[in-house]
Amino acid sequence: MASTDKSAVPLSSPKSEATPPSAVAAAAKSSFNYSFVDVGLRVLLFAATLTSVVVMATSKETELVPVPGFPLARIQLQAKFNHSPALVYFIAALSVTGFYSIITTLASLSIVLNPTYSKTFLLFFAFFDVVFVGIVASATGAAGAVGYIGLKGNTHVGWTKICNVYDKFCRYTASSLALSLFAAILLVLLSMISTFTLYKKIRD
């Protein structure tokens, strides 16, 4: 009785290929949603501009100042932001920037909830963020020049310093300028994020 040996065909199980760690890291990086960072920075921008405006608007101070030529005579003078066109421009620029931050925060939230029109919004952000960088930077520079004259004076043209008299006014002005500089840095970061995110969406 002949016995036929059936050769058993080995069942080859599909080889499981492990995903390289670099690919996992790249996928996680590409899936990172920059919209949440954008929303957070815009909320921070609103807080910075609002605080800067409030500090500048409340920086008034009244002091007794000697009358030139009459050392014993003193008159009461008040230092306020609306006495300087540069500081008025500073208040206006930071107020408009704060209003812009509210609008763009809501628009950025809409991108998170419904990314259908994300490219349109990101193009808007990329353009106007740069515009407002220029506005805030120019306002900070103009107000900073006035503040420097108040702090140091200018002996060449006979402008005397006032910060030795109006100490509170100068401290408030300096704090407001620091906040506006912080707002300008936030706008630079926002413009970079908007441009980078728009580039990624166009490439994908």
Side-chain angles (χ1 to χ4, degrees):
M1 183 175 180
S3 61
T4 59
D5 295 336
K6 295 182 179 179
S7 58
V9 179
L11 298 176
S12 58
S13 59
K15 186 179 180 181
S16 59
E17 297 181 355
T19 306
S22 59
V24 175
K29 186 177 179 181
S30 62
S31 63
F32 181 76
N33 194 349
Y34 287 93
S35 297
F36 294 105
V37 179
D38 188 86
V39 172
L41 289 177
R42 293 186 188 280
V43 171
L44 196 58
L45 174 64
F46 171 72
T49 52
L50 177 64
T51 308
S52 179
V53 169
V54 170
V55 171
M56 181 64 78
T58 57
S59 63
K60 60 183 179 180
E61 182 180 7
T62 304
E63 294 290 343
L64 290 173
V65 180
V67 180
F70 301 93
L72 298 179
R74 290 178 176 269
I75 58 173
Q76 199 173 47
L77 291 178
Q78 188 179 56
K80 294 175 65 176
F81 78 91
N82 56 2
H83 293 164
S84 169
L87 299 184
V88 172
Y89 168 62
F90 177 86
I91 289 282
L94 269 292
S95 300
V96 173
T97 306
F99 181 68
Y100 168 77
S101 67
I102 296 174
I103 296 175
T104 52
T105 299
L106 296 176
S108 190
L109 282 172
S110 70
I111 293 177
V112 175
L113 300 176
N114 184 15
T116 306
Y117 301 102
S118 60
K119 290 183 181 178
T120 304
F121 280 124
L122 287 171
L123 182 62
F124 172 85
F125 291 162
F127 177 75
F128 280 100
D129 285 346
V130 174
V131 171
F132 276 90
V133 168
I135 292 175
V136 174
S138 65
T140 305
V146 173
Y148 182 82
I149 293 296
L151 180 65
K152 298 292 185 179
N154 191 323
T155 56
H156 300 287
V157 294
W159 294 343
T160 59
K161 58 183 180 180
I162 65 168
C163 287
N164 57 333
V165 178
Y166 297 99
D167 179 63
K168 174 191 170 184
F169 175 77
C170 290
R171 281 189 288 105
Y172 275 49
T173 302
S175 301
S176 183
L177 287 172
L179 288 168
S180 68
L181 183 61
F182 177 62
I185 295 172
L186 289 176
L187 283 166
V188 171
L189 293 175
L190 285 167
S191 64
M192 293 171 61
I193 290 175
S194 300
T195 305
F196 176 71
T197 310
L198 179 62
Y199 168 75
K200 280 184 58 180
K201 288 186 175 295
I202 293 174
R203 187 186 62 180
D204 297 339

